[in-house]
Amino acid sequence: MAIAIDFGTSNTVVARWNPITQQPETLKLPGLSIQQGQNPPLVPSLVYVEDAASGKVLAGKEVIDRGLDLKTNPRFFRTFKRGIGSDIQGFLPELDGQTVGFEQVGQWFLAGVAAAVRAVPLPLDSLILTVPVDSFEVYRHWLGEVCQSLEVEQVRMLDEPTAAALGYGLTDAKLLLVVDFGGGTLDLSL
């Protein structure tokens, strides 16, 4: 079954094609997702590192529920997607004898999302990931390596605004502008 993940700077959305209803559906992942009113469930892109040496982390809603989302706490990470693939020096914290980089935090986060999908339980044999339009090669390479560690048979990457156009259904219009205004990027597709 194909699972789609829109890994965002602020929030992450996980979806699948429902073979019964023949419609896409956003997944609510227990422990990770929040849902407000009629809005689809979102996974806050948050990580709290309990033990860096053993890779024990909390992610998403669980970080908020436990009150661990304090900006001053070096174990709390938000907007870490912005730092993936960037050469940032002198900013990364040392936790439990380990220097924790944004790539590691992102891998922990995506591994948590994958584990939550499997716990639903849903098979995760095919994965579709969205990426910013002009994402640099380092980011795409990192994402590919993360997917290898998730043991997924097939991985596809799709530009974020293209995914948005497909998700909302293309109209009969000959010209369509899709604006993907995210927490870390602004992508346009015409």
Side-chain angles (χ1 to χ4, degrees):
M1 168 177 289
I3 300 292
I5 300 176
D6 180 15
F7 172 36
T9 301
S10 304
N11 293 295
T12 295
V13 177
V14 182
R16 74 169 182 145
W17 182 260
N18 185 320
I20 296 169
T21 64
Q22 292 294 300
Q23 295 289 320
E25 69 180 11
T26 306
L27 299 177
K28 184 172 186 177
L29 302 175
L32 293 183
S33 297
I34 59 173
Q35 189 165 7
Q36 298 174 331
Q38 298 298 316
N39 293 323
L42 301 171
V43 178
S45 297
L46 306 174
V47 170
Y48 181 85
V49 180
E50 289 187 321
D51 184 359
S54 66
K56 186 174 181 193
V57 301
L58 302 172
K61 181 180 181 283
E62 192 172 23
V63 175
I64 297 168
D65 289 349
R66 293 193 184 186
L68 300 171
D69 54 336
L70 303 172
K71 293 177 186 176
T72 56
N73 190 330
R75 292 183 176 276
F76 171 63
F77 290 85
R78 65 185 179 107
T79 66
F80 51 88
K81 180 182 173 187
R82 290 181 184 179
I84 294 172
S86 299
D87 188 24
I88 298 175
Q89 302 295 321
F91 178 75
L92 303 174
E94 185 175 311
L95 304 173
D96 309 311
Q98 309 274 329
T99 299
V100 177
F102 296 115
E103 290 82 1
Q104 181 62 64
V105 175
Q107 183 171 358
W108 284 330
F109 178 78
L110 289 173
V113 170
V117 168
R118 288 183 170 121
V120 166
L122 289 172
L124 188 58
D125 50 1
S126 178
L127 186 59
I128 302 162
L129 294 156
T130 61
V131 293
V133 170
D134 286 326
S135 63
F136 38 94
E137 199 59 37
V138 174
Y139 178 81
R140 288 178 184 254
H141 180 72
W142 167 83
L143 200 51
E145 286 182 346
V146 168
C147 291
Q148 286 178 349
S149 73
L150 299 177
E151 298 179 14
V152 177
E153 288 180 30
Q154 181 182 38
V155 176
R156 290 173 279 181
M157 294 184 198
L158 186 62
D159 290 333
E160 290 172 352
T162 302
L166 294 171
Y168 284 99
L170 299 173
T171 65
D172 291 330
K174 291 182 181 183
L175 194 60
L176 179 67
L177 175 65
V178 178
V179 180
D180 178 16
F181 188 37
T185 57
L186 171 63
D187 289 326
L188 306 172
S189 222
L190 184 64

